[in-house]
């Protein structure tokens, strides 16, 4: 008997027109050994989200609220947070997490579609093989994030700036821009944020889920880094500069809150709804700077996902000229104040082994 579709189907869709070339490669021998190895590792490390995580356990509300960190800032260690009524803490933590995890979920759907596009668009067989494994990884991520958000509350709509970013990456016809926009900027930010949240939370199911997902994301980011570091040196100066500009535009959509549409501005709205005035919260947090600094020291310091990860990656890939660095500096100062300093002087490097780095602090 044929499967019955619901009366209304598909239930909710949205679309962006994308045009790209599907590229055949008639050479089936390895050309980029590092990508072939990454593909073999990916095959080795598959997992089944619905079987390997314990979905029967309820969310541990106390653990969830008491170890709630946002954007890597250990708010839960401050007196300000501890003084809030339990009910308010749960409301703020749950609301912010529903929003953030929903956007992770939507981002995973974007990553799923981009990975599928990369199978067709990248010119090397090793790159296609690897992207095929990533496509499966991302399907699993969509599945597990959807299941967790469902347990926590309701899926929230995508933040407009993230939607714009995913649209841009899906729509471009250049696979290198897809790789920079998704694998380097978006997944770099995601990997850093997932790992941060995993290290902070003591909610067992969330911790386990983020550990599994981060391991996959370490490979995804590694793919972008390995592939592009082979390809960027072969580009003309004009192509290289275009790629660099595309990376900046992606980062801008994730960071710049001057348009009022970033995730950060939406989270602050949620705080207001829960009865916490963001202005008061920031003042209180500023007074407790030393508590936060001590907590951060324990977890290895805070540079944030962009400064601590995405920018070092772009520098390593030769996608950060002085011209771009000046744009980043201007944007950071406008969003985070003059004290932010300049990324040009930063000497942060990338972890030598991303997969090992993910295991730290677990
Ligand atoms: Fe993912
Ligand atoms: Fe990914």
């Amino acid at each position: 008997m044929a499967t019955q579709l619901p009366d209304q189907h598909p239930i909710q869709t949205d679309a962006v027109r994308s045009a790209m070339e599907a590229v055949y490669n008639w050479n089936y021998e390895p050309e980029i050994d590092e990508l072939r190895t990454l593909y073999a590792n990916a095959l080795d490390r598959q997992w089944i989200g619905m079987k390997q995580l314990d979905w029967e356990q309820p969310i541990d509300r106390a653990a969830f609220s008491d170890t709630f960190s946002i954007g890597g800032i250990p708010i839960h260690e401050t007196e300000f947070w501890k003084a809030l009524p339990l009910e308010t803490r749960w409301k703020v933590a749950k609301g912010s997490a529903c929003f953030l995890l929903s956007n992770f979920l939507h981002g995973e759907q974007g990553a799923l579609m981009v990975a599928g596009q990369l199978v067709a668009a990248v010119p090397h067989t090793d790159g296609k093989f690897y992207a095929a494994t990533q496509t499966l990884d991302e399907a699993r991520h969509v599945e597990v994030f959807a299941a967790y958000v469902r347990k926590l509350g309701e899926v929230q709509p995508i933040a407009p700036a993230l939607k714009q970013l995913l649209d841009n990456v899906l729509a471009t016809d250049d696979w290198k821009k897809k790789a920079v926009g998704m694998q380097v900027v978006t997944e770099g930010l995601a990997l850093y944020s997932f790992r941060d949240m995993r290290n902070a939370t003591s909610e067992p199911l969330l911790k386990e889920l983020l550990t599994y997902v981060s391991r996959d994301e370490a490979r995804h980011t590694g793919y972008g880094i390995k592939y592009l570091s082979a390809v960027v040196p072969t580009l003309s100066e004009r192509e290289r500069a275009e790629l660099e500009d595309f990376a900046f535009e992606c980062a801008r959509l994730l960071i710049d809150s001057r348009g009022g549409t970033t995730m950060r501005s939406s989270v602050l709205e949620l705080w207001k709804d829960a009865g916490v005035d963001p202005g008061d919260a920031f003042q209180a947090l500023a007074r407790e700077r030393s508590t936060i600094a001590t907590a951060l020291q324990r977890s290895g310091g805070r540079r944030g996902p962009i400064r601590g990860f995405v920018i070092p990656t772009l520098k390593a890939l030769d996608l950060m000229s002085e011209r771009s660095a000046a744009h980043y500096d201007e944007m950071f100062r406008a969003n985070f104040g003059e004290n932010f300093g300049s990324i040009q002087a930063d000497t942060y490097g990338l972890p030598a082994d991303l997969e090992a780095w993910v295991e730290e602090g677990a």
Side-chain angles (χ1 to χ4, degrees):
M1 202 180 85
T3 306
Q4 290 284 309
L5 284 169
D7 288 346
Q8 208 207 344
H9 65 89
I11 292 172
Q12 207 189 348
T13 57
D14 202 341
V16 56
R17 182 157 295 281
S18 79
M20 55 172 213
E21 280 183 349
V23 181
Y24 293 95
N25 185 325
W26 308 121
N27 171 40
Y28 300 102
E29 300 313 311
E31 289 175 297
I32 307 176
D33 289 338
E34 284 189 295
L35 299 188
R36 198 54 83 104
T37 305
L38 206 58
Y39 160 75
N41 290 347
L43 291 182
D44 234 8
R45 293 168 201 173
Q46 291 298 307
W47 49 284
I48 302 176
M50 289 303 118
K51 270 194 193 166
Q52 274 162 266
L53 302 181
D54 177 9
W55 293 99
E56 294 301 312
Q57 60 184 321
I59 288 176
D60 182 335
R61 286 188 180 205
F64 193 95
S65 313
D66 291 347
T67 52
F68 174 65
S69 106
I70 192 163
I73 307 277
I75 292 170
H76 59 279
E77 301 225 9
T78 62
E79 290 309 315
F80 166 76
W81 180 257
K82 289 176 195 161
L84 293 172
L86 185 66
E87 192 52 35
T88 309
R89 291 206 303 255
W90 167 241
K91 223 173 150 185
V92 170
K94 181 189 156 184
S96 310
C98 259
F99 176 80
L100 281 174
L101 295 171
S102 293
N103 276 282
F104 288 171
L105 165 63
H106 302 313
E108 295 290 356
Q109 181 183 179
L112 168 66
M113 295 201 283
V114 173
Q117 287 186 324
L118 288 174
V119 174
V122 301
H124 301 91
T125 300
D126 313 294
K128 291 178 186 296
F129 280 13
Y130 177 78
T133 67
Q134 183 173 334
T135 308
L136 180 55
D137 291 349
E138 304 296 11
R140 186 169 52 238
H141 297 175
V142 172
E143 182 187 31
V144 295
F145 274 116
Y148 193 84
V149 176
R150 205 179 294 128
K151 263 177 113 72
L152 188 63
E154 274 174 32
V155 175
Q156 305 297 305
I158 188 166
L162 178 60
K163 173 65 165 46
Q164 186 62 57
L165 166 67
L166 298 179
D167 281 358
N168 294 353
V169 175
L170 283 163
T172 177
D173 61 353
D174 182 346
W175 73 266
K176 298 179 290 303
K177 289 185 182 162
K178 292 180 194 296
V180 159
M182 180 52 69
Q183 312 291 135
V184 172
V185 177
T186 311
E187 304 211 69
L189 179 131
L191 170 62
Y192 195 100
S193 311
F194 293 169
R195 178 182 174 275
D196 250 6
M197 193 185 260
R198 188 280 315 270
N199 286 354
T201 191
S202 59
E203 203 292 298
L205 182 57
L206 184 60
K207 203 173 187 72
E208 207 182 4
L209 182 157
L210 290 170
T211 298
Y212 275 103
V213 171
S214 303
R215 286 175 185 153
D216 292 348
E217 298 300 350
R219 286 194 304 275
H220 302 173
T221 311
Y223 174 64
I225 296 171
K226 291 184 165 108
Y227 208 165
L228 289 167
S229 61
V231 167
V232 172
T234 70
L235 301 180
S236 70
E237 178 48 30
R238 190 184 53 81
E239 289 172 313
R240 199 206 54 75
E242 255 187 46
L243 209 51
E244 177 177 312
D245 290 347
F246 193 81
F248 177 77
E249 178 57 13
C250 292
R252 189 190 67 76
L253 285 166
L254 291 168
I255 303 163
D256 200 345
S257 58
R258 282 174 285 184
T261 51
T262 54
M263 309 235 263
R264 187 164 164 254
S265 27
S266 306
V267 167
L268 295 181
E269 277 306 307
L270 284 163
W271 286 32
K272 274 191 222 160
D273 291 347
V276 178
D277 181 80
D280 291 350
F282 283 128
Q283 270 182 18
L285 295 179
R287 281 196 299 274
E288 293 193 61
R289 211 166 262 154
S290 64
T291 311
I292 294 175
T294 313
L296 285 174
Q297 216 70 49
R298 279 203 307 274
S299 62
R302 160 143 184 103
R303 296 161 199 149
I306 296 284
R307 192 170 200 173
F309 201 91
V310 175
I311 286 174
T313 311
L314 293 172
K315 282 183 175 174
L317 292 172
D318 189 24
L319 293 173
M320 178 67 67
S321 63
E322 271 181 37
R323 178 179 61 91
S324 276
H327 288 152
Y328 282 97
D329 281 344
E330 189 275 332
M331 173 168 72
F332 281 129
R333 289 203 195 104
N335 283 276
F336 306 114
E338 287 299 319
N339 289 339
F340 198 86
S342 166
I343 61 153
Q344 300 194 52
D346 285 354
T347 51
Y348 308 136
L350 285 175
D353 180 343
L354 287 179
E355 294 188 56
W357 178 69
V358 160
E359 302 304 324
E360 283 171 23

